[in-house]
């Protein structure tokens, strides 16, 4: 193997050879081999070919892999591109990325990212801390897929603590709060419930007023013909139902349940109880089969050092009656979150580059020196520097790009997202912190573009229609929807998020100025399905750029602006669309 020094020497030699080819790459002879990466050469190609002594073949392969000077005036690096476009705010649809020579197959790309010491994700996707996006179900689904959910704070502190516990103590495959019915209900009531809530199942555990499991109501008796019968008349009694205690499930509940289903032909549900017959949950055979399949998946769940799912929680910069930062409340709640095992706290506000937010981060950093802290939102390098100096590990970038945001309309403030990300990335590099692209993402291609500048993305709208998002499915003209609202919408602020936008929830003397809207999202099914599409798109983008991992994606990206006609060209056009890509 050649030494680093030899590689450097030979690299220069090869560069000089190429130098002599008219109209080709013009290198700076003072550059060393490490710079080849940034110039579009695959370092492994350089090293391998030079190690084999094949300077001639190195020359021809590199000619194929290099960036041609014919391309460079058009497809520019981030520094050149954003500097050249410094007078205009750019966002996702008005730029596109140029493909590069690639030896990378999309399915082999790696998506793991470390956002802070002790906070590693296997995919760079975070669900927003919004009350119509992330509670424990969403956070569990995100972590199981390798990402992270930030539990919102529009709820009492105690409730947020139990949401975090639900994620941290989630037993994969165990439905912790199955829908239950009571012995006194009529089958007709159960049928109405199924219809009203659009349940896709009809078997229910039956519990009495004390939460004791008394039997199972099987789907085959939940029929209109039995509508006037009581659940107690139709249920399969406790002693005839297969049950297991949580203790018996042991360390690998899925393997234990899998064995149970194999041994008990035709049984598809296993009831989990505590020692006193209180219902703890339900395991279904279909979930066990899906999880067993998922264990072979490329992207593993994101877990902490104790093998629990990762979970984040948002906190706001609350003030006491004197208008001062409420240190006591903030520290008590943060301490309890840490006790429950929270992996990261997100200080979520609309204007992160402000004294109150900086003070709050300092308070948290002093009290919890090792706790990963996310803070936001900002759109300037000064904002990133300020929050990094206060102690943040990862900084949310985005003011007004969100699908439900009206900040730019109401306050006249905010920066189109890609320009904001580039400017913030300059400060983030300097301060060695991560930035998170928060808001405005509507498709996987947007994520690829965001990840050329940021370490991860935060999405609200994309997940708000998922089964795991809080809220019920609504049927309107035969279509299914879920509600999605900005945390700065009037309704959300009244439920608690006013502090995020610098207002007082109890302030009835004047109208709160909403910076978000209330909306609907089409129901989009389980998070697994949505994430599979997004991840596929990210991997595809990385394949086009020859990027084997996220660091290479950031390093290799080349940009160009897109004209309005180019934007139309980018979407399906001049056809009658029969099926969407998804
Ligand atoms: P997407 O585009 O994913 O955006 O739906 C989600 C992000 O939007 C931010 N957010 C708001 N911004 N007014 C705003 O200006 C609001 O009411 C509001 N609510 C959420 C937030 O950063 C979120 O992650």
């Amino acid at each position: 193997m050649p030494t680093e020094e030899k590689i450097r020497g030979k690299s220069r030699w090869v560069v000089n050879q190429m130098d002599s080819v008219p109209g080709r790459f013009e290198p700076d002879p003072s550059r060393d081999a490490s710079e080849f990466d940034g110039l579009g050469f695959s370092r492994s190609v350089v090293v391998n070919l030079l190690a084999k002594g094949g300077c001639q073949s190195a020359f021809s392969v590199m000619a194929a892999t290099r960036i041609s000077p014919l391309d460079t005036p058009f497809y520019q690096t981030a520094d050149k591109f954003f500097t050249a476009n410094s007078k205009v705010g750019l966002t996702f649809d008005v730029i596109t990325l140029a493909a590069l020579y690639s030896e990378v197959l999309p399915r082999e790309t790696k998506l793991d990212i470390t956002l802070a010491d002790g906070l590693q994700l296997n995919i760079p996707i975070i669900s927003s801390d919004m009350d119509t996006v992330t509670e424990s179900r969403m956070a569990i689904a995100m972590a199981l897929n390798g990402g992270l959910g930030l539990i919102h704070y529009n709820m009492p502190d105690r409730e947020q603590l139990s949401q975090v516990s639900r994620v941290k103590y989630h037993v994969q495959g165990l439905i912790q709060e199955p829908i239950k019915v009571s012995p006194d209900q009529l089958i007709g009531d159960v049928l109405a419930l199924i219809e009203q809530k659009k349940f896709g199942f009809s078997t229910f555990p039956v519990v009495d007023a004390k939460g004791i499991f008394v039997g199972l109501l099987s789907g085959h008796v939940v029929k209109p013909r039995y509508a006037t019968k009581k659940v107690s008349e139709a249920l399969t009694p406790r002693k005839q139902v297969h049950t297991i205690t949580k203790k018996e499930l042991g360390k690998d509940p899925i393997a234990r349940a899998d064995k149970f289903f194999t041994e008990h032909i035709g049984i598809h549900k296993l009831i989990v109880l505590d020692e006193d017959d209180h219902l703890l949950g339900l395991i279904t055979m279909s979930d066990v089969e899906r999880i067993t399949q998922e264990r072979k998946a490329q992207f593993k769940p994101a877990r902490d050092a104790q093998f629990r799912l990762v979970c984040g929680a948002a906190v706001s910069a609350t003030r006491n009656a004197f208008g001062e930062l409420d240190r006591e409340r903030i520290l008590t709640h943060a301490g309890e979150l840490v006790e429950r095992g929270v992996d990261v706290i997100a200080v979520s506000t609309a204007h992160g580059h402000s004294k109150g937010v900086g003070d709050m981060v300092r308070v948290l950093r002093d009290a919890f020196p090792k706790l990963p802290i996310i803070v936001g939102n900002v759109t300037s390098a000064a904002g990133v520097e300020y929050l990094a100096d206060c102690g943040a590990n990862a900084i949310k970038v985005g003011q007004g790009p969100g699908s439900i945001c009206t900040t730019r309309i109401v306050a006249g403030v905010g920066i189109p997202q890609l320009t904001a990300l580039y400017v913030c990335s300059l400060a983030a590099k300097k301060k060695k912190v991560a930035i998170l692209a928060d808001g405005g993402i509507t498709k996987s291609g947007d994520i690829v573009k965001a990840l050329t500048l940021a370490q991860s993305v935060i999405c609200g709208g994309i997940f708000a229609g998922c089964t795991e998002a809080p809220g019920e499915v609504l049927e309107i003209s035969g279509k299914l929807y879920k509600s999605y609202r900005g945390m700065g919408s009037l309704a959300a602020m009244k439920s608690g998020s006013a502090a995020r936008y610098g207002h007082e929830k109890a302030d009835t003397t004047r109208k709160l100025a909403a910076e978000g809207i209330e909306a609907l999202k089409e129901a989009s099914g389980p998070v697994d399905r949505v994430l599979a599409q997004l991840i596929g798109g990210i991997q595809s983008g990385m394949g086009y750029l020859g990027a084997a991992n996220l660091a290479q994606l950031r390093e290799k990206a080349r940009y160009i602006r897109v004209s309005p006609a180019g934007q139309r060209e980018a979407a399906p056009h001049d056809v009658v669309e029969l099926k969407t890509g998804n």
Side-chain angles (χ1 to χ4, degrees):
M1 279 292 290
T3 63
E4 184 67 11
E5 212 30 63
K6 272 189 196 153
I7 293 169
R8 284 199 177 140
K10 289 213 176 189
S11 303
R12 276 205 196 106
W13 184 86
V14 173
V15 167
N16 289 337
Q17 291 298 299
M18 294 180 73
D19 223 354
S20 65
V21 180
R24 294 231 170 126
F25 175 66
E26 286 168 28
D28 171 355
S30 64
R31 287 176 167 176
D32 72 16
S34 64
E35 287 180 79
F36 276 69
D37 306 342
L39 292 168
F41 291 95
S42 153
R43 191 184 173 95
S44 59
V45 170
V46 176
V47 173
N48 285 337
L49 288 166
L50 292 175
K52 286 177 197 150
C55 291
Q56 270 316 95
S57 49
F59 173 78
S60 53
V61 173
M62 285 161 73
T65 66
R66 69 189 171 74
I67 286 183
S68 164
L70 299 176
D71 287 333
T72 47
F74 301 98
Y75 313 144
Q76 297 181 313
T77 60
D79 288 338
K80 285 202 174 130
F81 175 77
F82 287 101
T83 309
N85 286 286
S86 62
K87 303 277 185 291
V88 58
L90 301 174
T91 194
F92 299 109
D93 285 348
V94 297
I95 70 120
T96 190
L97 298 169
L100 284 168
Y101 172 78
S102 179
E103 294 178 4
V104 175
L105 290 176
R107 67 168 184 274
E108 288 166 0
T109 55
K110 302 259 183 302
L111 300 186
D112 56 296
I113 187 84
T114 300
L115 296 179
D117 276 351
L119 183 61
Q120 190 180 24
L121 307 184
N122 295 326
I123 61 165
I125 306 180
I126 298 171
S127 65
S128 271
D129 46 332
M130 297 174 72
D131 60 5
T132 45
V133 180
T134 311
E135 290 184 353
S136 57
R137 272 188 83 194
M138 176 64 72
I140 289 167
M142 290 300 299
L144 284 173
N145 280 284
L148 170 72
L150 298 176
I151 293 182
H152 70 88
Y153 55 55
N154 260 6
M155 60 179 96
D157 287 354
R158 279 185 66 234
E159 170 61 15
Q160 196 190 38
L161 293 174
S162 49
Q163 297 261 349
V164 169
S165 291
R166 261 176 241 159
V167 184
K168 298 308 292 183
Y169 296 101
H170 172 72
V171 178
Q172 199 180 5
L174 176 68
I175 302 168
Q176 277 171 318
E177 282 173 28
I179 309 293
K180 313 172 265 273
V181 294
S182 75
D184 299 334
Q185 273 178 287
L186 295 178
I187 300 285
D189 298 337
V190 178
L191 283 165
L193 185 75
I194 294 172
E195 171 65 21
Q196 185 202 344
K197 305 268 184 186
K198 309 268 175 292
F199 290 146
F201 53 88
S202 56
T203 297
F204 301 88
V206 186
V207 295
D208 67 14
K210 291 182 191 143
I212 304 284
F213 176 72
V214 293
L216 193 67
L217 186 70
S218 297
H220 65 263
V221 297
V222 184
K223 302 270 183 249
R225 120 181 6 260
Y226 308 123
T228 55
K229 306 269 183 219
K230 277 192 165 184
V231 167
S232 54
E233 295 173 73
L235 59 74
T236 310
R238 155 82 178 87
K239 54 182 182 311
Q240 289 172 27
V241 179
H242 292 280
T243 64
I244 193 165
T245 61
K246 202 165 177 185
K247 212 164 157 198
E248 285 169 326
L249 278 175
K251 284 206 158 163
D252 191 347
I254 293 301
R256 180 70 189 82
D258 196 34
K259 187 162 171 272
F260 168 87
F261 289 125
T262 309
E263 285 167 358
H264 297 80
I265 300 171
I267 304 293
H268 292 185
K269 292 197 168 54
L270 179 58
I271 300 290
V272 185
L273 304 174
D274 70 8
E275 310 298 332
D276 301 319
D277 269 9
H278 290 105
L279 179 70
L280 294 182
L282 172 73
I283 298 181
T284 69
M285 189 164 84
S286 55
D287 279 351
V288 168
E289 285 173 353
R290 183 177 49 79
I291 292 160
T292 314
Q293 198 57 32
E294 272 168 22
R295 283 186 173 179
K296 297 173 203 140
Q298 188 182 5
F299 299 104
K300 306 276 177 250
R303 297 190 187 277
D304 65 15
Q306 294 163 51
F307 212 64
R308 299 174 302 184
L309 295 178
V310 297
C311 178
V315 292
S316 70
T318 40
R319 297 185 172 274
N320 61 22
F322 308 104
E324 298 153 347
L325 204 61
D326 194 346
R327 288 173 61 101
E328 200 182 315
R329 191 224 139 218
I330 291 166
L331 284 177
T332 308
H333 184 51
E336 283 169 342
L337 284 169
V338 170
E339 253 171 48
R340 303 274 174 132
V342 84
D343 298 273
V344 57
I345 283 187
V347 181
S348 289
T349 67
H351 187 20
H353 192 187
S354 57
K355 182 174 181 314
V357 177
D359 288 349
M360 170 139 177
V361 177
R362 281 200 199 92
V363 165
L364 288 171
R365 179 50 72 226
D366 286 350
F368 309 100
K370 295 207 166 138
L371 176 70
I373 301 178
I374 293 175
V375 194
N377 283 29
V378 298
T379 44
S380 65
V384 171
E385 287 176 343
Y386 172 69
L387 293 177
D389 289 343
C390 293
N393 302 94
I395 294 163
K396 296 198 219 178
V397 176
Q399 277 164 332
S403 55
I404 34 51
C405 300
T406 52
T407 295
R408 293 191 202 155
I409 297 164
V410 171
V413 173
I415 302 292
Q417 188 67 341
L418 280 172
T419 296
L421 285 172
Y422 174 69
V423 174
C424 290
S425 74
L426 297 175
K429 260 184 227 152
K430 193 167 125 198
K431 293 287 178 184
K432 299 197 168 34
V433 291
I435 54 169
L436 312 173
D438 183 9
I441 283 166
T442 58
K443 45 202 177 298
S444 55
D446 297 345
I447 302 184
V448 179
K449 292 172 192 176
L451 291 175
T452 65
L453 300 165
Q455 278 65 33
S456 285
V457 296
I458 301 186
C459 301
I462 274 187
F463 297 125
C466 289
T467 318
E468 294 84 347
E472 286 166 16
V473 174
L474 313 164
E475 189 179 332
I476 302 172
S477 309
K479 276 200 155 188
L480 301 181
Y481 298 89
K482 289 190 90 162
S483 63
Y484 179 42
R485 67 185 188 187
M487 292 294 275
S489 64
L490 276 182
M493 285 202 286
K494 283 190 175 144
S495 315
S497 60
R500 183 175 180 141
Y501 292 84
H503 298 292
E504 267 303 320
K505 178 180 161 190
D507 187 354
T508 47
T509 54
R510 62 197 186 99
K511 200 168 171 294
L512 303 179
E515 287 180 35
I517 59 160
E518 292 168 57
L520 292 175
K521 288 292 289 185
E522 251 184 68
S524 49
V527 167
D528 292 9
R529 215 186 293 156
V530 172
L531 276 175
Q533 289 293 325
L534 297 180
I535 291 169
I538 300 170
Q539 293 193 294
S540 189
M542 291 169 73
Y544 278 110
L545 267 70
N549 54 46
L550 294 173
Q552 288 184 13
L553 178 66
R554 290 195 297 278
E555 193 180 286
K556 291 189 169 211
R558 300 288 182 279
Y559 310 78
I560 188 168
R561 278 179 73 176
V562 184
S563 64
Q567 288 173 44
R568 281 197 297 280
E569 183 187 67
H573 55 87
D574 298 310
V575 290
V576 177
E577 200 166 324
L578 291 178
K579 271 190 184 173
T580 64
N582 295 342

